[in-house]
Amino acid sequence: MQTKPDTLLTRFAPTPSGYLHIGNAFSFVLTWLLARVQGGKIHLRIDDLDRQRYRIKYVEDIFKSLEWLGLDWDTGPQSPDEFEKEYAQIHFLPNYQSALTLLHTHTQLYACRCSRKKTQKEADAHGQYHRTCFDKKIPLDAPNTALRLYTPPENSLVQFKDLQKNQICTVDIQKTMKDFVVRGKNQLPAYQLTSLIDDLRMGINLIVRGEDLYDSTAAQVHLAGRVPVWHSFQKVDFLHHPLVTDAEGNKLSKSAGAISLKDWRKNKQNTEKIYLFFAERLALPPSSTLEELKAAFIANSTLIHQKNIS
């Protein structure tokens, strides 16, 4: 992406592991508003390496949902077919493998045979992985092993700028994502690594995501700090918005059967309802279309400049 260094660059980054829901839509719309009112650019990136849950119908749902919401983007695939041919993460496996090689050069990786159940059973006082396999010296290329990044206790504090809180946040990685996985047992790179490498490749400088990904942000910033050529990621701005929850206050999720945008699309009037709902969440005047919401967003200069979403 050739652009001025000071241009705002952000992305939509859905995963095709289920039908999208209203929480996903809120994140997309907020990302779009922040980019468009500031002359920024948006890239569509679909994180599809979780091939066990991947379905082409979920990829199709991403495009249908974005179209229904009226959202556009500047780079990335324009159709499911183009995504599969040019933009699926499988096409970028050499990038991720090079990243793993760099990590091995600059940091300490170790192989781990532990199952998720075993990891949870033997967790430390903070509920984190207990380094069960750290001293076993399992070969890094051993079958049925994941690769973990050793996170040294003496360098465990991670800092990043959070525009939602309007402050620099500090997270102790030992208490949140200790020795996190960078390559799964399936030999595919893990989310924390691929997300970082893709954002670096695209020059992303603003990441809008739900507050449930706060620990992932800390992990990715920590990861970037371990390799000199990735240090630019430490200057990225983040906005962790509050989650859209159900009537009981629980986080919406695909796996828990949250009402999908696919169901919302069955009634044309629901587009108006969804934007009225978003306007209320953003403490803006009633807005029943994307353009009305954008106008209200622009009129609220505090929201734009501080990007503080309540």
Side-chain angles (χ1 to χ4, degrees):
M1 295 172 62
Q2 299 296 320
T3 185
K4 296 179 181 179
D6 58 349
T7 298
L8 187 155
L9 297 171
T10 188
R11 80 290 203 273
F12 302 140
T15 57
S17 56
Y19 291 113
L20 300 179
H21 53 68
I22 194 171
N24 302 125
F26 179 71
S27 192
F28 295 156
V29 169
L30 180 55
T31 300
W32 186 90
L33 288 170
L34 288 166
R36 292 300 182 237
V37 302
Q38 297 176 87
K41 303 292 185 182
I42 303 170
H43 180 84
L44 174 59
R45 186 187 92 203
I46 299 176
D47 294 342
D48 68 313
L49 274 187
D50 184 355
R51 285 283 157 166
Q52 285 190 326
R53 295 193 296 166
Y54 171 92
R55 301 288 186 275
I56 187 61
K57 64 182 180 181
Y58 299 147
V59 175
E60 293 169 347
D61 179 66
I62 290 170
F63 287 93
K64 289 177 181 177
S65 296
L66 291 172
E67 180 182 8
W68 180 70
L69 290 165
L71 303 176
D72 63 342
W73 57 96
D74 303 285
T75 58
Q78 296 297 317
S79 68
D81 184 60
E82 186 179 6
F83 165 72
E84 287 287 348
K85 289 181 178 178
E86 300 181 36
Y87 292 93
Q89 286 183 308
I90 198 76
H91 298 305
F92 300 100
L93 282 178
N95 298 57
Y96 309 138
Q97 186 55 53
S98 295
L100 284 169
T101 300
L102 271 176
L103 273 178
H104 185 45
T105 301
H106 291 278
T107 69
Q108 188 169 5
L109 301 180
Y110 63 95
C112 173
R113 289 198 174 100
C114 296
S115 64
R116 180 173 296 184
K117 184 177 181 179
K118 180 179 176 63
T119 299
Q120 293 172 342
K121 183 179 179 180
E122 299 179 355
D124 65 16
H126 300 292
Q128 300 299 301
Y129 179 62
H130 215 305
R131 293 185 171 142
T132 306
C133 292
F134 180 68
D135 292 323
K136 293 182 179 180
K137 308 301 180 184
I138 302 169
L140 296 185
D141 59 353
N144 196 34
T145 59
L147 288 186
R148 291 183 178 273
L149 173 73
Y150 174 70
T151 55
E154 66 276 10
N155 187 28
S156 65
L157 297 183
V158 182
Q159 291 190 321
F160 54 88
K161 184 178 181 181
D162 189 335
L163 298 174
Q164 168 64 24
K165 296 183 178 180
N166 198 26
Q167 65 183 37
I168 301 298
C169 296
T170 302
V171 176
D172 187 343
I173 201 76
Q174 295 291 320
K175 298 178 180 179
T176 59
M177 293 283 283
K178 178 180 175 182
D179 289 17
F180 56 88
V181 173
V182 293
R183 193 207 67 198
K185 289 184 178 181
N186 59 5
Q187 305 301 300
L188 290 176
Y191 168 74
Q192 308 301 350
L193 179 69
T194 60
S195 183
L196 168 65
I197 297 307
D198 287 343
D199 284 332
L200 284 167
R201 175 171 54 84
M202 293 180 288
I204 300 300
N205 53 31
L206 171 65
I207 295 175
V208 179
R209 53 177 38 153
E211 57 188 14
D212 58 324
L213 291 177
Y214 199 83
D215 292 345
S216 285
T217 294
Q220 291 162 25
V221 173
H222 175 83
L223 192 58
R226 303 291 290 274
V227 179
V229 296
W230 299 346
H231 283 184
S232 62
F233 187 79
Q234 295 178 307
K235 298 178 181 178
V236 169
D237 288 338
F238 296 89
L239 193 155
H240 298 88
H241 60 77
L243 302 179
V244 178
T245 57
D246 62 19
E248 286 73 41
N250 300 313
K251 169 191 169 184
L252 298 180
S253 69
K254 301 168 187 173
S255 59
I259 297 175
S260 68
L261 294 181
K262 178 174 175 283
D263 292 327
W264 279 73
R265 294 197 302 267
K266 293 177 181 178
N267 186 338
K268 292 183 179 179
Q269 292 180 335
N270 280 340
T271 311
E272 177 180 336
K273 291 179 182 179
I274 207 169
Y275 277 113
L276 286 169
F277 173 70
F278 290 164
E280 181 180 3
R281 278 190 63 83
L282 294 170
L284 295 173
S287 306
S288 58
T289 68
L290 179 62
E291 288 306 312
E292 287 181 7
L293 189 66
K294 180 182 176 183
F297 197 80
I298 292 172
N300 190 323
S301 58
T302 300
L303 194 62
I304 295 171
H305 295 304
Q306 294 186 359
K307 308 181 187 70
N308 190 273
I309 312 302
S310 60

